[in-house]
Amino acid sequence: GSLVTIIHPGNGNRNEGPDCKAAVIYRDGQFLRGDVECHLSASDWFQHGHTEDNQYDSIILHVFARWTSAAEKISAPVVVLEKDSPKPFGCTLTINTGMHRRY
């Protein structure tokens, strides 16, 4: 239910590990710097084994396209891009930043 502002989306990572490195977000009155992970579904976080992989310890934001109940089990802030999300953490982005990710 918090507002998350993307200050810097980070640098795309084409290797193993989080999708974007060294991102900066503003949330709950704090600037946070770390990594961002993107998935089609929140459950992918668990299916891909990220909870056991220390490369994902510095995740400050998890972005996914579809909400599933798995989102409630992720400790990092989450943003769902699904239009008309049934949960209160829907995305309100209204401009194209030129950042695209293919799945």
Side-chain angles (χ1 to χ4, degrees), residues 35-47:
D35 301 331
V36 176
E37 181 66 4
C38 303
H39 287 113
L40 288 176
S41 172
S43 58
D44 291 342
W45 175 263
F46 301 99
Q47 290 174 357

Side-chain angles (χ1 to χ4, degrees), residues 10-69:
N11 305 309
N13 179 20
R14 296 185 186 269
N15 300 310
E16 290 184 19
D19 295 314
C20 299
K21 306 286 275 176
V24 179
I25 66 171
Y26 183 78
R27 178 179 176 254
D28 295 334
Q30 296 181 59
F31 287 96
L32 303 172
R33 182 183 176 103
D35 301 331
V36 176
E37 181 66 4
C38 303
H39 287 113
L40 288 176
S41 172
S43 58
D44 291 342
W45 175 263
F46 301 99
Q47 290 174 357
H48 296 172
H50 296 331
T51 55
E52 292 85 30
D53 188 339
N54 64 3
Q55 291 183 92
Y56 296 86
D57 289 348
S58 62
I59 295 291
I60 58 168
L61 188 64
H62 184 198
V63 178
F64 49 89
R66 288 185 308 271
W67 183 88
T68 66
S69 59

